[in-house]
Amino acid sequence: MTILSPEAAASFIGVAAWRALVSRAGAGVGEDILDCGDSAGYTLEALHAGQQRLIFSGNPEQRRSLFCIAERAGARILPGRPDAMRFSLLSSEPLMLVRTLEERYL
């Protein structure tokens, strides 16, 4: 399972809090992605904290520099948000969830 942060979460959750949250999630998490929005500063902070997957939507010049830094650290920066299922789709009734997903994806 991959955990995807809310949009620009680094600016309101913070890098350290995100890393702590993900570490508490435990072994069931295969990968986590922190969205840093257009903030090069938060992206750099996350890379220094060991974050391996990030989203940066800032200007292209900053993106190139951050991509180089990430590559050296063995990390990956995505230019945009991947598709994800929102928890608001979840229902307490399994059949309702199946119908919702069928309507959305089939």
Side-chain angles (χ1 to χ4, degrees), residues 31-35 51-55 74-78:
E31 177 175 86
D32 66 283
I33 304 171
L34 176 60
D35 191 330
Q51 183 67 36
Q52 292 297 300
R53 301 289 179 261
L54 305 109
I55 297 168
R76 183 170 175 223
I77 297 178
L78 306 171

Side-chain angles (χ1 to χ4, degrees), residues 30-101:
E31 177 175 86
D32 66 283
I33 304 171
L34 176 60
D35 191 330
C36 297
D38 62 359
S39 173
Y42 284 122
T43 304
L44 192 56
E45 178 185 351
L47 286 168
H48 284 286
Q51 183 67 36
Q52 292 297 300
R53 301 289 179 261
L54 305 109
I55 297 168
F56 176 71
S57 58
N59 78 52
E61 287 181 30
Q62 290 177 327
R63 185 178 299 129
R64 281 191 292 275
S65 296
L66 290 168
F67 279 9
C68 289
I69 294 167
E71 187 175 62
R72 281 187 239 129
R76 183 170 175 223
I77 297 178
L78 306 171
R81 293 179 65 78
D83 288 336
M85 180 170 50
R86 297 183 185 274
F87 285 113
S88 61
L89 288 175
L90 299 178
S91 167
S92 59
E93 296 182 45
L95 287 177
M96 186 60 130
L97 174 60
V98 169
R99 285 189 197 115
T100 302
L101 294 173

